[in-house]
């Protein structure tokens, strides 16, 4: 792997969070837009410390042209390393938004990437890894046995078709190995490891003999011992793909779909009955409809499991203060009887933050 020369500001190591999360921190990738005479866009990584509800800047993601941003990539961690895999490279274009009386930005797609970057938290260094065999974005990904598995996604711009191709990364030898194809071509599918098998759930699906609805509700299970994908019907019960599915203590949780990331509650999967049902006590209004009498504009929502808790990261802005992003964190304890929410003090920051990928958890020591 070749080293990249990319300066990052010095920073203190994140403080150890409390109780069961004492050796872990949560990392997220954002883009932010700075408007001067020209548009300046940056992709960067931030670290969240649950013990004191603080975000700290970690590093910018290198190797992207000026005013370009990477989206729909995989961000995963193994040991003290964070991997940035694939994604859709966009250029930010500026337009005027009369509602907010300021500049708005839209994405102009440039390319689908096969690149893989590795960031070592301990040394604060970036390096290039072996590239994907197939460029892709909006794909499923999991870490299992210290290997990274990716499947599905889109490989070309301007097409709604997904791919059935899958592959696995071996960090020790810096090599991607192609795996058998899934039974269906899928994009916007969700990956999760459950009951010892890799699950690729839902998505926009092509290539099956079933109806579109049946295929989108299906999942693919990969057994690493057999090296084979099995098709399972009905694991996801909506025509719209899931936004996230995560595992906590042997149970699968979801909070919404790709059109509505927060449905107002959390759902858990019953594998025996093959149904999703609402978790008791999980109803919560994560996004207010207004703030100080002004309507809000939702920017992002994502969740990440840590210990027995599900952490939710939300961001929004208001009409009366469009140059500021309000970031809010909530935590739901899945082990508490009837569930238990914890809310943290909102944080206001200059500029508009956009979440570019789901979070990952890193063990710091």
């Amino acid at each position: 792997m070749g080293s990249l020369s990319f300066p990052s500001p010095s920073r203190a190591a994140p403080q150890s969070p409390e109780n069961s999360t004492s050796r872990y921190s949560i990392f997220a990738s954002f883009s932010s837009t700075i408007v001067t005479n020209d548009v300046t866009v940056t992709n960067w990584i931030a670290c969240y410390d649950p013990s004191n509800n603080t975000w700290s800047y970690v590093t910018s993601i290198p190797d992207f042209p000026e005013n370009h941003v990477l989206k729909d990539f995989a961000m995963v961690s193994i040991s003290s390393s964070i991997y940035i895999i694939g994604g859709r490279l966009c250029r930010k274009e500026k337009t005027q938004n009369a509602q907010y009386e300021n500049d708005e930005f839209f994405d102009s797609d440039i390319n689908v990437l096969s690149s893989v970057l590795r960031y070592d938290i301990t040394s604060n260094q970036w390096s290039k890894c072996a590239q994907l065999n197939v460029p892709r974005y909006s794909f499923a990904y999991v870490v299992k046995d210290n290997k990274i598995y990716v499947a599905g996604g889109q490989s070309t711009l301007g097409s709604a078709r997904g791919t059935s191709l899958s592959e696995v990364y071996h960090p020790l030898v810096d090599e991607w190995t192609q795996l058998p194809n899934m039974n269906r071509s899928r994009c916007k599918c969700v990956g999760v490891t459950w009951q010892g098998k890799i699950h690729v759930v839902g998505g926009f699906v092509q290539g099956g003999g079933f109806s579109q609805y049946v295929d989108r509700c299906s999942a693919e299970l990969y057994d690493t011992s057999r090296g084979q994908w099995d098709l399972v019907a009905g694991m996801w019960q909506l025509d719209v793909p899931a936004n996230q599915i995560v595992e906590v203590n042997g149970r699968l949780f979801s909070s919404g779909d790709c059109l509505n990331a927060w449905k107002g509650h959390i759902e858990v999967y019953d594998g025996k009955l093959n149904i999703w049902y609402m978790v008791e006590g999980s109803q919560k209004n994560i996004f207010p409809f207004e703030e100080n009498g002004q309507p809000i504009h939702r920017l992002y929502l994502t969740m990440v499991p840590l210990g027995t808790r599900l952490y939710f990261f939300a961001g929004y802005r208001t009409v009366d203060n469009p140059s500021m992003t309000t970031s809010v964190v909530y935590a739901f304890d899945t082990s508490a009887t009837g569930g238990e929410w914890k809310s943290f003090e909102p944080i206001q920051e200059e500029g508009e933050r956009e979440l570019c990928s789901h979070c990952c958890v890193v063990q710091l020591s």
Side-chain angles (χ1 to χ4, degrees):
M1 295 185 285
S3 295
L4 295 175
S5 175
F6 193 85
S8 296
S10 60
R11 64 181 181 90
Q15 298 297 310
S16 297
E18 59 185 344
N19 301 330
S20 63
T21 63
S22 59
R23 295 181 297 153
Y24 297 84
S25 281
I26 300 169
F27 288 76
S29 174
F30 294 96
S31 69
S32 55
T33 304
I34 303 168
V35 182
T36 53
N37 292 330
D38 297 308
V39 182
T40 302
V41 181
T42 59
N43 257 118
W44 49 285
I45 294 176
C47 173
Y48 178 76
D49 183 350
S51 69
N52 55 20
N53 186 39
T54 58
W55 285 100
S56 59
Y57 173 90
V58 178
T59 178
S60 293
I61 301 178
D63 263 16
F64 297 131
E66 185 179 0
N67 297 335
H68 288 63
V69 62
L70 185 67
K71 295 188 173 184
D72 300 329
F73 56 90
M75 178 175 171
V76 301
S77 62
I78 298 177
S79 187
S80 62
S81 295
I82 293 174
Y83 293 85
I84 305 296
I85 304 169
R88 174 173 56 96
L89 185 65
C90 311
R91 182 175 57 243
K92 283 291 185 180
E93 306 285 355
K94 182 167 61 175
T95 186
Q96 185 72 27
N97 187 319
Q99 179 185 9
Y100 289 97
E101 297 183 349
N102 70 331
D103 291 320
E104 284 286 278
F105 303 90
F106 65 92
D107 298 332
S108 176
D109 290 339
I110 301 298
N111 198 11
V112 183
L113 302 187
S114 58
S115 60
V116 179
L117 298 175
R118 172 180 171 266
Y119 175 69
D120 188 302
I121 295 170
T122 304
S123 66
N124 192 31
Q125 294 292 318
W126 284 96
S127 57
K128 289 183 178 180
C129 300
Q131 293 191 339
L132 291 162
N133 290 302
V134 177
R136 63 183 85 212
Y137 70 98
S138 295
F139 55 94
Y141 53 90
V142 303
V143 173
K144 185 179 187 298
D145 299 329
N146 289 323
K147 299 175 184 177
I148 303 171
Y149 292 80
V150 302
Q154 291 171 261
S155 296
T156 58
L157 298 171
S159 171
R161 292 195 62 83
T163 179
S164 62
L165 298 174
S166 64
E167 48 190 304
V168 58
Y169 179 69
H170 308 264
L172 293 180
V173 295
D174 185 31
E175 183 178 81
W176 287 93
T177 302
Q178 289 185 322
L179 299 175
N181 291 359
M182 294 188 295
N183 296 280
R184 301 287 185 269
S185 297
R186 299 171 183 268
C187 60
K188 287 194 176 296
C189 42
V190 175
V192 63
T193 300
W194 186 54
Q195 296 182 343
K197 296 181 181 180
I198 296 165
H199 291 63
V200 175
V201 184
F204 295 116
V205 185
Q206 302 94 22
F210 300 131
S211 69
Q212 273 197 340
Y213 173 77
V214 171
D215 276 332
R216 290 181 184 180
C217 295
S218 68
E220 309 256 0
L221 276 61
Y222 185 73
D223 187 332
T224 56
S225 63
R226 292 191 300 120
Q228 180 178 325
W229 289 99
D230 295 317
L231 188 66
V232 177
M235 188 171 179
W236 182 249
Q237 291 149 4
L238 296 176
D239 189 35
V240 180
N243 182 46
Q244 288 178 273
I245 298 175
V246 300
E247 185 270 340
V248 177
N249 288 344
R251 297 193 295 169
L252 297 181
F253 293 89
S254 170
S255 63
D257 53 53
C258 67
L259 296 182
N260 187 13
W262 178 245
K263 294 170 65 175
H265 61 269
I266 300 167
E267 294 184 345
V268 64
Y269 180 65
D270 187 324
K272 293 181 179 179
L273 298 178
N274 198 27
I275 61 171
W276 292 84
Y277 62 90
M278 186 176 67
V279 177
E280 183 181 355
S282 68
Q283 302 95 319
K284 188 172 183 65
N285 181 18
I286 284 182
F287 278 116
F289 291 104
E290 60 180 37
E291 183 178 87
N292 299 326
Q294 295 292 329
I296 69 165
H297 174 66
R298 303 177 184 184
L299 298 176
Y300 61 84
L301 176 76
T302 190
M303 70 172 175
V304 62
L306 183 53
T308 62
R309 294 177 177 175
L310 292 172
Y311 279 81
F312 291 84
F313 299 93
Y316 61 91
R317 69 182 183 185
T318 57
V319 172
D320 64 341
N321 200 359
S323 63
M324 301 289 290
T325 294
T326 300
S327 301
V328 190
V329 179
Y330 305 92
F332 182 79
D333 191 344
T334 62
S335 67
T337 302
E340 181 181 285
W341 281 101
K342 181 179 180 181
S343 300
F344 298 85
E345 187 70 21
I347 302 170
Q348 278 205 329
E349 297 171 288
E350 288 190 25
E352 179 176 317
R353 276 189 177 190
E354 183 176 6
L355 191 74
C356 297
S357 181
H358 293 305
C359 303
C360 66
V361 177
V362 178
Q363 184 173 354
L364 297 173
S365 61

